[in-house]
Coordinates of all heavy atoms in Angstrom, one line a residue:
Y10 N 4.2 -4.2 8.5 CA 3.2 -3.2 8.2 C 2.8 -2.4 9.4 O 2.7 -3.0 10.6 CB 1.9 -3.8 7.6 CG 2.2 -4.5 6.3 CD1 2.4 -5.9 6.3 CD2 2.2 -3.9 5.1 CE1 2.6 -6.6 5.1 CE2 2.4 -4.5 3.9 CZ 2.7 -5.9 3.9 OH 2.9 -6.5 2.7
A11 N 2.5 -1.2 9.2 CA 1.8 -0.3 10.3 C 0.4 -0.8 10.5 O -0.3 -1.2 9.5 CB 1.9 1.1 9.9
D12 N 0.0 -0.7 11.7 CA -1.4 -1.2 12.0 C -2.5 -0.6 11.1 O -3.4 -1.3 10.7 CB -1.7 -1.0 13.5 CG -1.0 -1.9 14.4 OD1 -0.5 -2.9 13.9 OD2 -0.9 -1.6 15.7
P13 N -2.4 0.7 10.8 CA -3.6 1.3 10.0 C -3.7 0.7 8.6 O -4.7 0.9 8.0 CB -3.2 2.8 10.0 CG -2.4 3.0 11.2 CD -1.5 1.7 11.3
V14 N -2.7 0.0 8.1 CA -2.7 -0.4 6.7 C -2.7 -2.0 6.6 O -2.8 -2.5 5.5 CB -1.5 0.1 5.9 CG1 -1.5 1.7 6.0 CG2 -0.2 -0.5 6.3
K15 N -2.6 -2.6 7.7 CA -2.6 -4.1 7.7 C -3.9 -4.6 7.1 O -4.9 -4.2 7.4 CB -2.4 -4.6 9.1 CG -1.0 -4.6 9.7 CD -0.9 -5.2 11.1 CE 0.5 -5.1 11.6 NZ 0.6 -5.6 13.0
G16 N -3.7 -5.6 6.1 CA -4.8 -6.2 5.4 C -5.3 -5.4 4.2 O -6.1 -5.9 3.5
R17 N -4.7 -4.1 4.1 CA -5.1 -3.3 2.9 C -4.0 -3.1 2.0 O -4.2 -2.9 0.8 CB -5.7 -2.0 3.4 CG -7.0 -2.1 4.3 CD -7.6 -0.8 4.5 NE -6.7 0.1 5.3 CZ -6.3 1.3 4.8 NH1 -6.7 1.8 3.6 NH2 -5.5 2.1 5.6
F18 N -2.8 -3.0 2.5 CA -1.6 -2.7 1.7 C -0.7 -3.8 1.6 O -0.6 -4.6 2.6 CB -0.9 -1.5 2.4 CG -1.5 -0.1 2.3 CD1 -2.8 0.0 1.9 CD2 -0.8 1.0 2.6 CE1 -3.4 1.2 1.9 CE2 -1.4 2.3 2.5 CZ -2.7 2.4 2.2
T19 N 0.0 -4.0 0.5 CA 1.0 -5.0 0.3 C 2.3 -4.4 -0.2 O 2.3 -3.8 -1.3 CB 0.5 -6.1 -0.6 OG1 -0.7 -6.7 0.0 CG2 1.6 -7.2 -0.7
I20 N 3.4 -4.7 0.4 CA 4.7 -4.3 -0.1 C 5.4 -5.5 -0.8 O 5.3 -6.6 -0.3 CB 5.6 -3.7 1.0 CG1 6.9 -3.1 0.5 CG2 5.9 -4.7 2.1 CD1 7.7 -2.3 1.5
S21 N 6.1 -5.2 -1.9 CA 6.8 -6.2 -2.5 C 8.0 -5.6 -3.2 O 8.1 -4.4 -3.4 CB 5.9 -6.9 -3.6 OG 5.5 -6.1 -4.6
R22 N 8.9 -6.5 -3.6 CA 10.1 -6.0 -4.3 C 10.4 -6.9 -5.5 O 10.2 -8.1 -5.4 CB 11.3 -5.8 -3.4 CG 11.8 -7.1 -2.8 CD 12.8 -6.9 -1.6 NE 14.0 -6.2 -2.1 CZ 14.8 -5.5 -1.2 NH1 14.6 -5.5 0.1 NH2 15.8 -4.9 -1.7
D23 N 11.0 -6.3 -6.5 CA 11.5 -7.1 -7.6 C 13.0 -6.7 -7.8 O 13.3 -5.7 -8.4 CB 10.7 -6.8 -8.9 CG 11.1 -7.6 -10.1 OD1 12.2 -8.2 -10.1 OD2 10.3 -7.7 -11.0
N24 N 13.8 -7.6 -7.3 CA 15.3 -7.2 -7.4 C 15.8 -7.2 -8.8 O 16.8 -6.5 -9.0 CB 16.1 -8.2 -6.5 CG 15.8 -8.0 -5.0 OD1 15.4 -6.9 -4.6 ND2 15.9 -9.1 -4.2
S25 N 15.2 -8.0 -9.7 CA 15.6 -8.0 -11.1 C 15.4 -6.6 -11.8 O 16.1 -6.3 -12.8 CB 15.0 -9.1 -11.8 OG 13.6 -8.9 -12.0
K26 N 14.4 -5.9 -11.2 CA 14.1 -4.6 -11.8 C 14.4 -3.4 -10.9 O 14.1 -2.3 -11.2 CB 12.6 -4.6 -12.1 CG 12.1 -5.6 -13.2 CD 10.7 -5.4 -13.4 CE 10.2 -6.5 -14.5 NZ 8.8 -6.4 -14.7
N27 N 15.1 -3.8 -9.8 CA 15.5 -2.7 -8.8 C 14.3 -1.8 -8.4 O 14.4 -0.6 -8.3 CB 16.6 -1.8 -9.4 CG 18.0 -2.4 -9.4 OD1 18.1 -3.6 -9.1 ND2 19.0 -1.7 -9.6
T28 N 13.2 -2.5 -8.1 CA 12.0 -1.7 -7.8 C 11.2 -2.3 -6.6 O 11.2 -3.5 -6.5 CB 11.0 -1.8 -9.1 OG1 11.7 -1.2 -10.2 CG2 9.8 -0.9 -8.8
V29 N 10.7 -1.4 -5.8 CA 9.8 -1.9 -4.7 C 8.4 -1.3 -5.0 O 8.3 -0.1 -5.5 CB 10.4 -1.4 -3.4 CG1 10.5 0.1 -3.2 CG2 9.6 -2.0 -2.2
F30 N 7.4 -2.0 -4.6 CA 6.0 -1.6 -4.9 C 5.2 -1.5 -3.6 O 5.6 -2.2 -2.6 CB 5.4 -2.6 -5.8 CG 6.1 -2.9 -7.1 CD1 6.9 -4.0 -7.2 CD2 5.8 -2.0 -8.2 CE1 7.6 -4.2 -8.4 CE2 6.5 -2.3 -9.4 CZ 7.4 -3.4 -9.5
L31 N 4.2 -0.7 -3.7 CA 3.2 -0.6 -2.6 C 1.9 -0.7 -3.2 O 1.4 0.2 -3.8 CB 3.4 0.6 -1.7 CG 2.4 0.6 -0.5 CD1 2.9 -0.4 0.5 CD2 2.5 2.0 0.2
Q32 N 1.2 -1.9 -3.1 CA -0.1 -2.1 -3.6 C -1.1 -1.6 -2.5 O -1.1 -2.2 -1.4 CB -0.4 -3.5 -4.0 CG -1.8 -3.8 -4.5 CD -2.1 -3.1 -5.8 OE1 -1.3 -3.1 -6.7 NE2 -3.2 -2.5 -5.9
M33 N -1.9 -0.7 -2.7 CA -2.9 -0.1 -1.8 C -4.3 -0.4 -2.2 O -4.7 -0.1 -3.4 CB -2.6 1.3 -1.6 CG -1.2 1.7 -1.2 SD -1.0 3.5 -0.9 CE -1.3 4.1 -2.6
S34 N -5.1 -1.0 -1.3 CA -6.5 -1.2 -1.7 C -7.4 -0.7 -0.5 O -6.9 -0.4 0.6 CB -6.8 -2.6 -1.9 OG -6.4 -3.4 -0.8

């Protein structure tokens, strides 16, 4: 993670759905 988003954003991937997510709070 880039420093400005650490602790607030989460990246994840679901290979079964060919999708990557970015949860931002």
Side-chain angles (χ1 to χ4, degrees):
Y10 297 96
D12 286 343
V14 308
K15 284 182 179 177
R17 299 189 298 122
F18 291 11
T19 301
I20 188 171
S21 61
R22 66 190 298 163
D23 186 339
N24 291 334
S25 69
K26 297 181 179 179
N27 282 13
T28 304
V29 62
F30 304 96
L31 185 68
Q32 179 67 47
M33 306 184 291
S34 60

